[in-house]
């Protein structure tokens, strides 16, 4: 079939005025689907591949000539097949008023979309993000309802903060009565119930997801730190949880490798647990895939979300477009993209509402893993008291809105955390920095982590800083929120869109509780945990938005 290349003058379509020219590519004699580009490709550089049903439409168009302008590219590759309906123009080539789903033009398009035919599919819920939060939300929906779920991610599972942590399912660093306490308690209970269910089915939770009830030790060295630990133990006991204050000698008997002096002490939390994030995610994903044959579960990985699809009539969010797919979510779209959630929300909306702000920022962390390290054996998970302050250190809100203060952006802290994972590797941490989305290894941070751990473990002091032969470095970007609480719930002014992000270093702990909360919101169930503290309304969003 021949192809017609025609030139049309389309005033006021593009930014820059009335003299922009579009070139129309369409099968000869076909008036339906057409593709417009803003430059005439030389015939030698025009490659046209047609589907078997060539009389119906062109399957793909590949151009090796210069790329269209960014403004036009957004139109050229807008929803559905990468084509623009002819009905958008009248006989003179000027724009008409009729355009189905006009709201979709309010959403940004990326600058590097390739002209491929987008695959469409319908689901009840679409979850953006395949970390522990996104995958457990999918799991809870699949187990609690008959809804179908699609999970989409720019990467693969466990490639973000989930896979870069120490696997703590701890309450030791949480405070009874705080806004996150109830959610942490509920989520830890759900993890324990999951481990118990594995045992009832003849599985070993240690083998399946690296699950260990190690207990945790919060260590203090100064008189003020010891006073804080005693107070913390009393708070836990009054909340009905087991906690015990340990003197220096009692602490040493529990952890012989630890050396912190006669004036030190610790709070012991025997019910705290840990798991292996990669194993846990693999188990959850395998369970989700069980629902694939009946059409209730689908995964779209290495497939970044690009924009929201919204109803022209109601403005409700109807789905998302990715680099390869159109995914409709009939009941809800959930953004659970961790540290990328804030920038993703900004990219979704071309004209951001000044009353709507999701200030999630990436907070970089390093962990040092010494593989098969036999000079130290730990019986519990450990962290110094300073970890709590280090975890709570906040970036001024003005810095969140501006990138001008580079020193504040790079604010960093180091505190000692140590544990043995399920493979008997020694995992040391931890650091917290604001360095944007960089995941480069900073050897100076690794040196500080090792030196800080050496203040607690004499066996580490003699180690050379060069332990590269038996080490691994984990780097993750924690989703930081300036008030220390995650955002869980609907987004004002965007019906059917929910957020589940901002858990920072507590994503594993709070995952199952968050999944339950989001699922109850979607299904209209009563709350098991008060969700009010996690609403965006009134925190970073004006009441009228």
């Amino acid at each position: 079939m021949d192809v017609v290349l025609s030139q049309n003058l389309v005033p006021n379509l593009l930014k820059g005025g009335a003299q922009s020219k579009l070139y129309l590519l369409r099968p000869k004699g076909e008036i339906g689907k057409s593709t417009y580009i803003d430059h005439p490709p030389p015939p030698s550089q025009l490659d046209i591949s047609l589907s078997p049903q060539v009389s119906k439409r062109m399957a793909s168009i590949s151009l090796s000539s210069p790329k269209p302008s960014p403004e036009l590219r957004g139109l050229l590759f807008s929803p559905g097949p990468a084509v623009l309906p002819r009905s958008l123009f009248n006989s003179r080539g000027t724009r008409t008023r009729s355009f189905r789903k006009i709201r979709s033009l309010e959403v940004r398009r990326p600058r590097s979309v390739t002209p491929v035919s987008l695959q469409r599919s319908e689901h009840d819920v679409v979850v953006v993000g395949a970390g522990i939060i996104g995958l457990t939300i999918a799991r809870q929906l699949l187990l609690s309802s008959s809804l179908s779920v699609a999970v989409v991610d720019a990467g693969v599972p466990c490639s973000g903060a989930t896979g870069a942590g120490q696997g703590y399912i701890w309450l030791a660093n949480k405070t009874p009565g705080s806004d996150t306490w109830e959610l942490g308690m509920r989520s830890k209970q759900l993890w324990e119930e999951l481990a118990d269910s594995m045992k009832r089915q003849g599985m070993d939770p240690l083998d399946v997801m690296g699950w260990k009830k190690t207990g945790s030790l919060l260590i203090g060295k100064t008189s003020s730190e010891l006073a804080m630990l005693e107070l913390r133990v009393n708070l836990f006991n009054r909340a009905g949880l087991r906690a015990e204050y340990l003197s220096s000698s009692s602490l040493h008997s529990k952890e012989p490798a630890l050396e912190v002096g006669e004036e030190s002490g610790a709070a012991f939390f025997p019910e705290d647990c840990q798991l292996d994030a990669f194993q846990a995610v693999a188990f959850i994903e395998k369970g989700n895939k069980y629902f694939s044959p009946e059409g209730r579960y689908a995964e779209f990985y290495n497939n970044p979300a690009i924009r929201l699809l919204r109803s022209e009539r109601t403005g409700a969010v109807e789905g998302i477009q990715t680099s390869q797919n159109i995914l409709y979510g009939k009941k809800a779209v959930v953004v659970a993209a961790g540290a990328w959630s804030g920038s993703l929300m900004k990219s979704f909306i071309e004209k951001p509402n000044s009353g709507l702000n999701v200030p999630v920022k990436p907070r970089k962390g390093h962990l040092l893993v010494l593989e098969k390290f036999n000079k130290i054996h730990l019986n519990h998970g450990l962290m110094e008291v300073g970890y709590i302050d280090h975890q709570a250190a906040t970036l001024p809100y003005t810095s969140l809105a501006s990138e001008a203060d580079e020193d504040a952006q790079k604010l960093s802290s180091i505190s000692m955390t140590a544990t043995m994972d399920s493979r008997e590797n020694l995992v040391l941490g931890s650091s917290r920095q604001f360095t944007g989305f960089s995941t480069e290894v900073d050897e100076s941070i690794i040196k500080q982590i090792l030196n800080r751990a050496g203040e607690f473990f004499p066996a580490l002091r003699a180690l050379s800083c060069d332990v590269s032969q038996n080490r691994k470095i984990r780097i993750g970007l924690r989703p930081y929120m300036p008030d220390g609480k995650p955002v869980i719930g609907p987004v004002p002014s965007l019906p059917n869109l929910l957020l589940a992000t901002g858990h920072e270093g507590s994503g594993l702990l709070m995952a199952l509780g968050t999944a339950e909360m989001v699922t109850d919101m979607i299904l209209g169930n009563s709350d098991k945990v008060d969700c009010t503290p996690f609403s965006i309304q009134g925190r970073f969003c004006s009441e009228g938005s």
Side-chain angles (χ1 to χ4, degrees), residues 24 26-34 36 55-56 84-87:
L24 166 64
R26 61 179 173 80
K28 186 175 182 180
E30 295 284 328
I31 304 300
K33 303 289 186 178
S34 307
Y36 290 81
S55 61
K56 298 293 184 182
L84 195 64
R86 177 62 176 166
S87 59

Side-chain angles (χ1 to χ4, degrees), residues 230-398:
E230 290 192 79
L231 177 62
R232 197 169 195 82
V233 167
N234 290 332
L235 282 173
F236 270 67
N237 289 336
R238 287 201 298 269
L241 276 76
R242 292 174 58 197
E244 179 184 355
Y245 179 79
L246 302 179
S247 65
S248 176
S249 58
S250 298
L251 173 59
H252 187 264
S253 67
K254 286 191 176 293
E255 289 293 352
L258 192 65
E259 185 178 296
V260 288
E262 294 297 323
E263 301 302 318
S264 64
F268 176 44
F269 305 92
E271 301 300 319
D272 279 350
C273 305
Q274 67 185 62
L275 52 72
D276 182 288
F278 285 94
Q279 289 179 265
V281 163
F283 170 78
I284 290 168
E285 192 178 19
K286 181 179 179 180
N288 290 350
K289 288 179 178 178
Y290 175 83
F291 296 91
S292 296
E294 56 190 87
R296 290 188 55 210
Y297 182 69
E299 296 172 343
F300 301 87
Y301 295 154
N302 297 306
N303 197 356
I306 293 171
R307 67 185 187 88
L308 296 175
L309 305 177
R310 298 182 65 186
S311 166
E312 176 186 1
R313 184 175 60 85
T314 67
V317 173
E318 295 184 327
I320 63 164
Q321 179 182 327
T322 73
S323 60
Q324 304 168 39
N325 300 84
I326 295 288
L327 305 175
Y328 292 103
K330 290 181 286 187
K331 287 189 70 72
V333 172
V334 182
V335 175
W340 289 266
S341 298
S343 57
L344 189 61
M345 287 296 295
K346 288 180 182 178
S347 73
F348 279 165
I349 309 300
E350 187 171 86
K351 296 180 180 179
N353 184 338
S354 59
L356 175 61
N357 184 25
V358 186
V360 182
K361 284 188 70 72
R363 201 178 194 189
K364 183 179 181 180
H366 288 68
L367 289 179
L368 172 61
V369 182
L370 301 179
E371 297 180 302
K372 304 298 181 183
F373 189 73
N374 56 14
K375 293 183 173 60
I376 290 178
H377 178 78
L378 299 179
N379 301 311
H380 310 84
L382 288 78
M383 67 171 61
E384 63 174 302
V385 167
Y387 178 87
I388 297 176
D389 295 332
H390 146 99
Q391 185 181 35
T394 59
L395 188 68
Y397 185 78
T398 53

Side-chain angles (χ1 to χ4, degrees), residues 90-304:
N90 61 24
S91 59
R92 297 187 301 276
T94 56
R95 189 177 181 180
T96 67
R97 293 187 177 182
S98 62
F99 185 71
R100 190 170 58 89
K101 297 205 182 284
I102 192 71
R103 286 181 181 269
S104 65
L105 290 178
E106 298 173 3
V107 186
R108 292 182 189 270
R109 278 78 164 180
R111 294 178 177 269
S112 59
V113 180
T114 54
V116 296
S117 180
L118 300 178
Q119 300 296 315
R120 296 169 180 260
S121 57
E122 288 192 355
H123 314 270
D124 292 311
V125 180
V126 177
V127 179
V128 182
I132 192 67
I133 301 295
L135 288 173
T136 53
I137 289 171
R139 172 183 178 271
Q140 189 69 25
L141 284 164
L142 292 167
L143 294 176
S144 303
S145 72
S146 60
L147 299 180
S148 61
V149 185
V151 176
V152 60
D153 196 284
V156 295
C158 246
S159 58
T162 297
Q166 286 179 285
Y168 291 156
I169 309 296
W170 284 15
L171 291 174
N173 57 329
K174 305 301 176 189
T175 302
S178 65
D179 284 338
T180 59
W181 176 255
E182 190 180 359
L183 177 59
M185 282 275 290
R186 174 60 179 166
S187 195
K188 182 173 180 291
Q189 177 189 346
L190 292 172
W191 277 115
E192 291 170 339
E193 290 177 0
L194 177 59
D196 289 342
S197 72
M198 290 180 183
K199 294 176 184 177
R200 291 194 298 270
Q201 297 173 59
M203 297 184 287
D204 185 346
L206 176 62
D207 293 336
V208 175
M209 59 179 186
W211 178 265
K212 299 192 292 183
K213 183 171 281 190
T214 58
S216 63
L217 290 165
L218 192 58
I219 302 165
K221 288 185 172 184
T222 68
S223 58
S224 61
E225 289 178 344
L226 297 185
M228 187 274 279
L229 289 177
E230 290 192 79
L231 177 62
R232 197 169 195 82
V233 167
N234 290 332
L235 282 173
F236 270 67
N237 289 336
R238 287 201 298 269
L241 276 76
R242 292 174 58 197
E244 179 184 355
Y245 179 79
L246 302 179
S247 65
S248 176
S249 58
S250 298
L251 173 59
H252 187 264
S253 67
K254 286 191 176 293
E255 289 293 352
L258 192 65
E259 185 178 296
V260 288
E262 294 297 323
E263 301 302 318
S264 64
F268 176 44
F269 305 92
E271 301 300 319
D272 279 350
C273 305
Q274 67 185 62
L275 52 72
D276 182 288
F278 285 94
Q279 289 179 265
V281 163
F283 170 78
I284 290 168
E285 192 178 19
K286 181 179 179 180
N288 290 350
K289 288 179 178 178
Y290 175 83
F291 296 91
S292 296
E294 56 190 87
R296 290 188 55 210
Y297 182 69
E299 296 172 343
F300 301 87
Y301 295 154
N302 297 306
N303 197 356

